[in-house]
Amino acid sequence: MPKKNGFFYFMLEYQQRKQAEGHPARKMALITTEAGKIWEKMNAEQRGPYNQQAKNAQNQGGLEKLNCLGIAISEIDNQLRSKEEHAQMITKLVADRVASAESRKELATEVVYIISLSYFGHTMQHKYIPAELGVVKYNLQSGVMDRLHLYFNPGEIPLGAAHSMQTHTKQTHQLPLPPNAWGTTDKNEIAVKLISFLGADDEIPPLFTDEETLPIVEGMLRDLLDDCIENKMLYVCSMAELFCFLKQATERHFEGTATFPSTLMAQHILKMDSYGFALGISCEYHERELNMLNCALSQATRWAYTLSKYCCLQMGIECVPGKHIPPDPSAGDDKLSKPPTTSESNPLEKPATSHDASAGDKVTSPKQGPNWFNKIKMKSRSKDEPSYKPVVGSVSYAPQKGGVVAYTGVNLATDAFYEQEQNSENMFPSLLQSMAPTVKERGHAKQRGGNSRRAVRGRTLQQ
């Protein structure tokens, strides 16, 4: 254990300064050597504050305890306490916002901004590199009012981040990696577009995202908006807390009392993601690749739809397809009501192409083909494959490898999956009933031919 003198406190300050500059944690022996070279060149006046700090600690009856990295335990406690206080402050902010709207009888028109921010990977210092942004402007009355979609191009891959970026990107959104990524490399341009969409002239409104990835999203947003927000506060809040408080408020509006249990239940429902494979709400690239589950724009929209599903009924609001719930893909492109989108990049043409949200969003490829629902149906059956009807209820279309689509019935009331029995005649007709007549005749002819040959062989053996 090093002696607790003035040099000791100078060494601690030197270590903390290096970590704040982004240098990884190093051994105490190396820190002592580096700090000692600087300490030797310092005069008595420069050493004075550190010697006084050591004297004060001795007068107080002892020195601070350190962890294995040489950091004072009291400092770690202060950091943890500040994080806990910040989390409590955010929770109170969300609760007060919902309670204020409830008291003003404006619960149905209270606007919230829901954000999903995916990333390529992270550096060795765990700095996450953004890839795609989806933001939804939403309230219970109007549903999805507007959406913003952006791609990011961080330029060259940072040193030490290649493996993380390749692995995470391949397992999730599968967007092109830097330096061939879509979107702009100017983060100030991205910040201006985001702030303009939020209408943040005086104050940035609270942004709601997934509770599990909240620290990552907040870190990326602070890095993107650092040069633009100046003294403005940035509040990134838990989507589960908004869901819980909003659900309880709508229950009080309808029944006079709230029965929804907790934020934990809200997070569980959000993780179930009952609209995970909904069509017509993703960006054009992820829609074409049938990778809607990992699209940032789709994710933010699905969270908004979940709020509608559980909260609109108590408010007496009818859920409109494309606004409160996913659009009906079976209606065809001409009748499909998609949520409006301000899309700032089109990966199938030029990354900088923009679409006017006021004209409505109908993102299509240059060659207009059949809608995605028909494409999935074509991939899921062949000429000789028997047709069948899925179970009654909401149907989730889950693409699998090889272009095969699994049809799974979902009970919207309980979010439970129906147990599908393989021998159910109502669900799956018999093979012979679904076969074409020529196929059945060919099968019977083959059977008759086999019986005739056996009969001939039998007579031959008897003779």
Side-chain angles (χ1 to χ4, degrees):
M1 179 69 66
K3 187 177 180 180
K4 308 299 178 59
N5 52 18
F7 171 69
F8 174 78
Y9 287 95
F10 170 75
M11 180 180 61
L12 290 182
E13 182 183 285
Y14 176 81
Q15 183 187 35
Q16 294 170 6
R17 187 168 65 249
K18 286 296 182 182
Q19 291 180 349
E21 293 174 355
H23 297 280
R26 290 173 289 181
K27 295 182 179 179
M28 284 298 298
L30 182 59
I31 294 293
T32 303
T33 302
E34 295 177 356
K37 295 179 181 179
I38 302 175
W39 180 263
E40 293 175 357
K41 300 178 182 180
M42 295 171 62
N43 54 34
E45 183 179 357
Q46 292 172 328
R47 295 182 181 182
Y50 305 102
N51 293 329
Q52 184 63 39
Q53 190 175 356
K55 186 181 296 185
N56 294 339
Q58 291 175 357
N59 294 334
Q60 292 174 1
L63 298 174
E64 293 184 278
K65 293 183 179 181
L66 306 178
N67 64 4
C68 59
L69 298 177
I71 303 175
I73 294 178
S74 60
E75 181 182 350
I76 298 176
D77 290 338
N78 291 334
Q79 292 178 356
L80 293 176
R81 191 177 299 109
S82 63
K83 288 183 179 179
E84 184 178 355
E85 291 174 354
H86 177 75
Q88 292 175 354
M89 184 268 292
I90 292 295
T91 301
K92 187 176 184 303
L93 174 69
V94 179
D96 291 346
R97 183 184 180 93
V98 175
S100 175
E102 185 179 9
S103 64
R104 291 182 277 109
K105 300 187 182 303
E106 297 177 356
L107 200 61
T109 57
E110 183 72 11
V111 175
V112 295
Y113 290 90
I114 303 170
I115 185 170
S116 176
L117 190 56
S118 60
Y119 56 91
F120 289 110
H122 59 79
T123 64
M124 292 185 293
Q125 290 76 30
H126 287 276
K127 179 181 178 181
Y128 288 82
I129 305 162
E132 185 185 17
L133 170 74
V135 189
V136 170
K137 182 180 180 181
Y138 172 88
N139 66 19
L140 292 176
Q141 183 68 48
S142 303
V144 175
M145 305 166 67
D146 198 3
R147 305 191 300 170
L148 175 68
H149 180 238
L150 294 170
Y151 293 113
F152 301 93
N153 186 354
E156 297 296 330
I157 296 179
L159 182 64
H163 176 72
S164 171
M165 293 176 69
Q166 292 174 359
T167 303
H168 181 76
T169 298
K170 183 178 180 180
Q171 293 175 350
T172 55
H173 50 77
Q174 300 178 4
L175 290 168
L177 286 168
N180 300 318
W182 295 320
T184 178
T185 58
D186 186 359
K187 70 176 186 179
N188 289 331
E189 180 182 346
I190 295 173
V192 169
K193 290 177 180 178
L194 176 57
I195 292 176
S196 175
F197 178 81
L198 298 175
D201 296 331
D202 300 325
E203 182 181 357
I204 295 179
L207 302 173
F208 296 91
T209 191
D210 179 39
E211 188 174 77
E212 295 181 356
T213 59
L214 192 151
I216 299 176
V217 173
E218 183 176 6
M220 289 189 289
L221 282 175
R222 290 191 181 278
D223 182 61
L224 288 170
L225 303 176
D226 186 41
D227 297 333
C228 296
I229 60 177
E230 296 179 354
N231 297 325
K232 297 179 181 178
M233 298 298 294
L234 178 64
Y235 298 106
V236 183
C237 311
S238 168
M239 186 69 203
E241 290 181 349
L242 172 66
F243 181 12
C244 177
F245 294 135
L246 197 60
K247 175 64 175 174
Q248 291 174 347
T250 57
E251 286 180 342
R252 286 191 294 267
H253 173 82
F254 182 69
E255 302 173 355
T257 182
T259 59
F260 193 77
S262 64
T263 302
L264 185 62
M265 175 61 72
Q267 178 67 11
H268 172 70
I269 294 174
L270 291 171
K271 292 296 290 182
M272 289 179 66
D273 202 359
S274 54
Y275 299 122
F277 297 98
L279 299 172
I281 61 176
S282 308
C283 70
E284 186 177 5
Y285 169 74
H286 286 117
E287 192 88 1
R288 192 172 76 166
E289 297 298 321
L290 294 180
N291 189 12
M292 299 81 72
L293 193 65
N294 294 296
C295 175
L297 181 63
S298 174
Q299 179 65 87
T301 309
R302 298 196 308 265
W303 287 333
Y305 288 162
T306 302
L307 291 181
S308 300
K309 174 183 174 181
Y310 285 88
C311 299
C312 283
L313 180 62
Q314 282 89 357
M315 299 297 296
I317 300 172
E318 181 182 358
C319 289
V320 179
K323 294 289 187 178
H324 300 89
I325 56 176
D328 182 10
S330 62
D333 289 339
D334 54 338
K335 299 180 181 179
L336 190 58
S337 175
K338 296 183 180 180
T341 305
T342 302
S343 178
E344 296 293 344
S345 53
N346 182 357
L348 302 182
E349 288 293 330
K350 297 179 180 179
T353 303
S354 62
H355 299 274
D356 184 9
S358 62
D361 175 57
K362 192 172 183 179
V363 182
T364 57
S365 58
K367 295 182 179 180
Q368 181 66 41
N371 63 65
W372 291 112
F373 181 76
N374 293 331
K375 285 187 176 182
I376 288 183
K377 289 197 296 184
M378 287 188 293
K379 285 186 177 182
S380 65
R381 63 179 62 174
S382 61
K383 292 182 179 179
D384 295 332
E385 182 181 354
S387 61
Y388 62 90
K389 295 181 179 180
V391 293
V392 178
S394 175
V395 179
S396 173
Y397 303 95
Q400 298 178 350
K401 295 182 179 179
V404 180
V405 178
Y407 292 77
T408 306
V410 182
N411 188 333
L412 292 180
T414 62
D415 281 322
F417 293 94
Y418 290 110
E419 295 291 340
Q420 296 187 0
E421 299 179 1
Q422 297 295 331
N423 297 325
S424 175
E425 296 182 357
N426 295 331
M427 190 184 308
F428 302 102
S430 64
L431 184 62
L432 290 177
Q433 290 177 355
S434 61
M435 283 183 177
T438 55
V439 177
K440 291 194 290 185
E441 291 174 0
R442 189 164 58 247
H444 291 309
K446 183 176 181 180
Q447 183 178 5
R448 288 196 300 269
N451 294 336
S452 300
R453 285 192 295 272
R454 284 195 298 270
V456 171
R457 285 198 301 271
R459 286 195 299 271
T460 303
L461 292 175
Q462 292 175 1
Q463 292 174 356

